[in-house]
Amino acid sequence: MYQYDIIDKEFLVDRSNEFRGQVARRLAGEITEDQFKPLRLMNGLYLQLHAYMLRIAVPYGSLNPTQVRRLAEIARDYDKGYGHFTTRQNIQFNWIKLKDAPDILDKLAEVDLHAIQTSGNCIRNTTSDPYAGATAEEIDDPRVWSEVIRQWSTLHPEFSFLPRKFKIAITASAKDRTAAKVHDIGLLLRQGRDGSHGFEVIVGGGQGRTPYVGPTIKQFLPTDRLLSYLEAVLRVYNRHGRRDNIYKARIKILVAALGAEEFARQVEEEWSKIDAARADLPAAELARIRASFAKTPFEILPARSEAFELAKANDSAFARFVRNNVRAHKQPGYAIVEISLKAQEQTPGDATAEQLEVAADLAERFGFNDLRVTHAQNLVLPHVKLDDLPTVFAALQAAGLATPNIDLISDIIACPGLDYCALANARAIPIAQDIARQFADLDRAENVGELKIKISGCINACGHHHVAHIGVLGVDKKGEEFYQLSLGGSGAEDASIGKILGPALPADKVATAVDQLVGAYLSVRTDGERFLDTYRRVGLEPFKEAVYAQAD
């Protein structure tokens, strides 16, 4: 991962000291909550239903063991013993006392972590592929470009007060694990016919009350022109984005209003005015950033591990874990291991302090000090020897981290919902737990195959329900919690927005309705068809009938 230099470190300490003074003035009553609010938000501190919530940035989802142990310490000393990983690869602590916030920022700064730009109308933490540097699918390491954007955007004076928050995702693989097409800017690294690298630039995707899959406004942007082009996009948005209406302030609304072609034209016009020599990254600086990502010292190993094969043959639980949670690595003899944070009865995305410490230990002993956070609220050990997989599995099992359900029906994305969030209309966590309970039979879950359920407690769509194969949206009906189902969404490379199935259901009917949807799918699917493929082939009606026919 990128190594902070002395300037980076001093900046974090200065920022923490500044916030300590602001908190002291608030606690002394010298400033009001209204005066304090923009100051705390600039440091990732929200005021939720029951307590302050601190959102900590995890740049491109990459952590080292020292950082993970520090997060465990914060969970234990300042929260209720756990943290919550989000769909943008950050971690949140939900039970923070205001007086403790500066001490926490100090502790984060000691390990090169912070909470800057995890809130506010600025460029947020850039997200990336959790398999970066490990998968053979990628044409370059997207973390390098994410770090370029991080350094460019952190406290950027021109873009620190945008019309609304601004989110960028970047991937270098054909398979999109970042939901790039529903970000304000999605950057897909491509290889040209001459071998050169460039970005397909997608602008104006997003969810919330007006969801859009973003259109491509530039098919191939040479990588060395990235920053000047981003500057042009942000300038057009900054100039025309609406600040008079929070619901129409995101760039997706501007792109939709102008049309992608006209928006692209204005960006090109703005881009032509920018001094490329000033704005774009010099080759030497890019080389410095690239070099700061230490090359992983892989061993030369045979592609086949006898110890691994023997363990699979003798242990059905291990074999199931390998089928569902282990992915191919670019280096022979290694594998990518996904750690599910979706055990039954668990809150999706939560990890206890003890589990964080286990993950840190495994990353240190078996994974080149590398741990990743996924968009789907799980963790990844990106580089594990096949020989070590049985030992890693045993350690994960002992820690309650070996649930073999990645991409299956119980691998549910869910926002904190009404259990924590001041904006939510309904609870998301109990609904996720009900569905996971309904599909606790792992044989059945594997038979169903890939099925992505995502749950949001309100229209702000933090649980990404719009791009779920089965989406669940919590709504308020005269003070009661109901849930609207949608089908056919995807946040992957085949991105699409789901369609509403029918009238909202009460909480106790949701898991049964999902079961009925799965039953309808199994009755009509063809060999190899995912739930999403079947839906796209047969349409909404068979599923609608399965859920609502009896009610009628």
Side-chain angles (χ1 to χ4, degrees):
M1 70 190 312
Y2 179 79
Q3 303 300 308
Y4 275 29
D5 62 18
I6 188 65
I7 297 174
D8 293 315
K9 290 174 183 291
E10 287 180 351
F11 167 68
L12 295 187
V13 171
D14 288 347
R15 183 63 175 264
S16 181
N17 289 338
E18 179 186 63
F19 189 54
R20 183 176 294 279
Q22 293 163 353
V23 169
R25 290 198 294 279
R26 174 64 189 130
L27 290 172
E30 295 172 6
I31 55 176
T32 66
E33 169 56 24
D34 284 345
Q35 292 168 324
F36 180 59
K37 182 177 178 180
L39 303 176
R40 63 172 168 77
L41 289 178
M42 288 178 71
N43 291 282
L45 193 65
Y46 290 73
L47 186 55
Q48 295 285 35
L49 278 179
H50 312 294
Y52 285 97
M53 178 273 280
L54 181 66
R55 180 180 295 151
I56 297 164
V58 181
Y60 33 94
S62 190
L63 291 165
N64 64 40
T66 302
Q67 292 171 328
V68 179
R69 291 191 181 103
R70 182 54 53 89
L71 294 174
E73 180 185 332
I74 291 169
R76 188 177 287 118
D77 294 347
Y78 298 100
D79 200 276
K80 294 191 175 183
Y82 55 88
H84 175 75
F85 290 101
T86 77
T87 54
R88 298 207 74 255
Q89 300 179 308
N90 295 319
I91 185 169
Q92 297 177 177
F93 292 100
N94 288 307
W95 298 97
I96 299 299
K97 294 181 176 65
L98 179 57
K99 69 179 180 60
D100 293 333
D103 291 342
I104 297 173
L105 293 187
D106 280 351
K107 289 180 176 293
L108 292 172
E110 288 171 2
V111 296
D112 302 338
L113 286 173
H114 60 81
I116 298 166
Q117 292 182 203
T118 59
S119 180
N121 295 333
C122 56
I123 301 171
R124 302 285 186 91
N125 181 39
T126 296
T127 54
S128 190
D129 188 349
Y131 292 3
T135 175
E137 299 167 351
E138 69 189 14
I139 62 172
D140 191 13
D141 190 332
R143 292 173 301 168
V144 173
W145 297 102
S146 302
E147 179 60 28
V148 167
I149 295 171
R150 187 194 71 81
Q151 294 193 19
W152 166 77
S153 63
T154 299
L155 304 186
H156 194 300
E158 187 175 348
F159 305 131
S160 60
F161 184 60
L162 294 165
R164 279 288 280 143
K165 57 188 173 183
F166 201 88
K167 301 175 181 179
I168 302 174
I170 178 170
T171 183
S173 296
K175 186 166 180 57
D176 182 9
R177 286 173 281 266
T178 69
K181 294 183 179 179
V182 288
H183 276 70
D184 296 299
I185 294 181
L187 296 170
L188 313 181
L189 197 62
R190 305 293 194 204
Q191 188 160 356
R193 290 179 180 175
D194 61 355
S196 63
H197 290 173
F199 293 102
E200 179 183 342
V201 183
I202 295 164
V203 178
Q207 299 190 65
R209 64 187 62 228
T210 46
Y212 289 105
V213 172
T216 297
I217 67 163
K218 198 166 190 64
Q219 287 290 350
F220 194 84
L221 171 70
T223 53
D224 62 355
R225 300 300 314 278
L226 175 64
L227 295 187
S228 60
Y229 194 79
L230 291 181
E231 187 170 313
V233 172
L234 268 296
R235 278 187 176 176
V236 173
Y237 172 50
N238 217 6
R239 183 179 304 140
H240 298 302
R242 290 185 59 173
R243 287 183 165 86
D244 62 326
N245 185 334
I246 192 173
Y247 302 117
K248 296 183 182 297
R250 297 292 292 269
I251 194 172
K252 62 185 177 180
I253 303 298
L254 176 63
V255 173
L258 290 175
E261 191 174 335
E262 171 59 18
F263 183 83
R265 186 196 68 74
Q266 293 195 25
V267 170
E268 292 287 334
E269 184 177 299
E270 186 66 32
W271 194 33
S272 69
K273 301 174 188 173
I274 295 175
D275 178 1
R278 174 195 60 78
D280 285 317
L281 198 66
E285 181 61 8
L286 176 61
R288 182 192 69 80
I289 292 174
R290 191 178 286 281
S292 68
F293 285 86
K295 196 168 183 179
T296 309
F298 296 120
E299 295 177 35
I300 304 300
L301 298 172
R304 179 183 171 86
S305 159
E306 295 305 327
F308 169 63
E309 296 298 335
L310 187 63
K312 267 199 307 182
N314 292 336
D315 184 345
S316 59
F318 177 60
R320 191 194 296 273
F321 179 81
V322 172
R323 280 199 303 276
N324 296 312
N325 292 41
V326 176
R327 304 288 186 255
H329 198 283
K330 67 180 181 182
Q331 184 75 13
Y334 288 84
I336 301 166
V337 178
E338 286 225 22
I339 302 171
S340 172
L341 299 180
K342 315 290 175 59
Q344 200 174 336
E345 307 304 331
Q346 183 176 1
T347 296
D350 273 12
T352 66
E354 292 73 21
Q355 288 174 328
L356 289 169
E357 287 168 344
V358 168
D361 290 346
L362 291 175
E364 196 168 67
R365 291 177 60 200
F366 302 107
F368 298 100
N369 297 319
D370 205 344
L371 188 75
R372 310 286 175 77
V373 183
T374 78
H375 149 71
Q377 299 177 293
N378 294 314
L379 301 176
V380 170
L381 292 165
H383 317 294
V384 179
K385 287 182 194 172
L386 292 176
D387 283 351
D388 293 332
L389 274 175
T391 306
V392 169
F393 172 67
L396 292 173
Q397 246 187 340
L401 289 169
T403 306
N405 65 347
I406 298 298
D407 289 337
L408 300 181
I409 194 166
S410 60
D411 184 13
I412 299 168
I413 288 177
C415 72
L418 198 52
D419 285 297
Y420 297 98
C421 180
L423 300 175
N425 294 317
R427 289 168 176 79
I429 294 168
I431 300 299
Q433 292 169 332
D434 283 352
I435 296 170
R437 214 173 288 124
Q438 187 89 13
F439 291 88
D441 182 337
L442 291 169
D443 289 332
R444 185 179 177 219
E446 283 194 288
N447 180 45
V448 173
E450 181 185 308
L451 207 171
K452 299 190 176 182
I453 295 179
K454 304 178 185 181
I455 306 172
S456 298
C458 76
I459 195 63
N460 291 306
C462 292
H464 289 205
H465 67 278
H466 289 300
V467 291
H469 300 178
I470 299 176
V472 183
L473 167 65
V475 294
D476 176 83
K477 284 192 172 185
K478 298 180 180 176
E480 291 190 49
E481 297 171 41
F482 275 73
Y483 296 86
Q484 192 176 70
L485 304 186
S486 57
L487 300 188
S490 170
E493 60 280 0
D494 57 350
S496 57
I497 303 297
K499 291 185 178 177
I500 294 173
L501 183 69
L505 302 168
D508 62 350
K509 302 293 185 191
V510 175
T512 301
V514 171
D515 205 336
Q516 291 164 331
L517 291 170
V518 169
Y521 154 62
L522 294 176
S523 70
V524 297
R525 76 171 172 186
T526 59
D527 287 346
E529 257 189 347
R530 301 173 301 164
F531 179 92
L532 181 63
D533 300 326
T534 298
Y535 164 80
R536 286 173 172 171
R537 177 172 57 83
V538 305
L540 200 65
E541 284 308 314
F543 297 102
K544 194 170 186 175
E545 186 175 341
V547 173
Y548 296 106
Q550 285 187 332
D552 293 341

